[in-house]
Amino acid sequence: MEQKEDLSDRIWIEKGDITQLRFKVGAIVNAANSSLMGGGGVDGAIHRAGGPDIIRECSMIIEEDGPCPTGQAVITAAGNLQARFVIHAVGPVWQGGKNNEAQDLTNCYRNSLLISRKYMLRRIAFPNISTGAYKYPKDEAAAIAVHTTIDFLLENEYPLAVIFCCFDDENYNWTKYYLDNYLKQA
Ligand code: APR
């Protein structure tokens, strides 16, 4: 079997609420929608914990550039959160799998990682984008999240580390399954 690079100190999983991480990160990624105006789920939690600074900056971005397309991401300050920035990534709504959802979700992770590289962030934390209100199957979404991140880290120095913050057991178990599968072969 091909020897893989050991990324165990650059990628790991935490369980729980991404707004209450037990350490500081450069950026928290938000599972946003194209309006960037907040919502429920992790988006609601991030805006509640971060306060009004975040929505203020989101409004300015929307005014200048219009709605954020699916698969894209933008960066704002993080207000009261234990992070310098929030990266708002717009995941795809699951429509059965034949509507470019996998590519859109891959782009979501990759574009968030590209922003982190540009800002030379040390650590960033992702939630399981699209797996709540947007109903992306958690198994397939976890495979995309883990593999897109691994590919990116292998080619790039920044971000130094990526944390998957999984809120529910099913997301935690699938993310751990795909990550462990990779690390076991390293
Ligand atoms: N921390 C980490 N993860 C969380 C948290 C939290 N505080 N709250 C919810 N989650 C997890 C859920 O377990 C879910 O699997 O986030 C995952 C993504 O779910 P959603 O937040 O519903 O995001 P998504 O499916 O991408 O839908 C986005 O929902 O709230 C709206 O404005 C948002 O319209 C957008 C849509």
Side-chain angles (χ1 to χ4, degrees), residues 149-168:
T149 301
I150 286 171
D151 288 348
F152 193 91
L153 292 184
L154 289 174
E155 286 170 7
N156 294 281
E157 187 182 353
Y158 287 94
L160 298 183
V162 169
I163 296 128
F164 292 113
C165 182
C166 303
F167 197 59
D168 59 277

Side-chain angles (χ1 to χ4, degrees), residues 16-18 31 33 38-43 45 128 130-134 167-168 171:
D17 180 347
I18 204 165
N33 61 57
V42 68
D43 197 2
N128 294 98
S130 281
T131 65
Y134 283 178
F167 197 59
D168 59 277
N171 268 318

Side-chain angles (χ1 to χ4, degrees), residues 14-20 28-48 89-93 105 108 126-136 138 165-169 171:
E14 296 277 330
K15 180 114 200 310
D17 180 347
I18 204 165
T19 68
Q20 307 294 325
I28 290 174
V29 180
N30 183 18
N33 61 57
S34 291
S35 79
L36 303 181
M37 287 298 106
V42 68
D43 197 2
I46 286 173
H47 281 284
R48 267 194 307 279
V90 181
V93 177
L105 190 60
C108 226
F126 278 106
N128 294 98
I129 298 170
S130 281
T131 65
Y134 283 178
K135 295 196 163 26
Y136 208 110
K138 291 178 179 176
C165 182
C166 303
F167 197 59
D168 59 277
D169 288 340
N171 268 318

Side-chain angles (χ1 to χ4, degrees), residues 100-140:
N100 215 38
E101 292 96 321
Q103 190 57 56
D104 284 341
L105 190 60
T106 303
N107 290 345
C108 226
Y109 280 93
R110 194 170 158 75
N111 285 322
S112 302
L113 290 159
L114 281 167
I115 291 176
S116 310
R117 183 181 77 181
K118 183 170 164 198
Y119 283 73
M120 297 177 79
L121 300 181
R122 293 160 66 84
R123 294 200 288 218
I124 68 163
F126 278 106
N128 294 98
I129 298 170
S130 281
T131 65
Y134 283 178
K135 295 196 163 26
Y136 208 110
K138 291 178 179 176
D139 173 354
E140 293 174 39

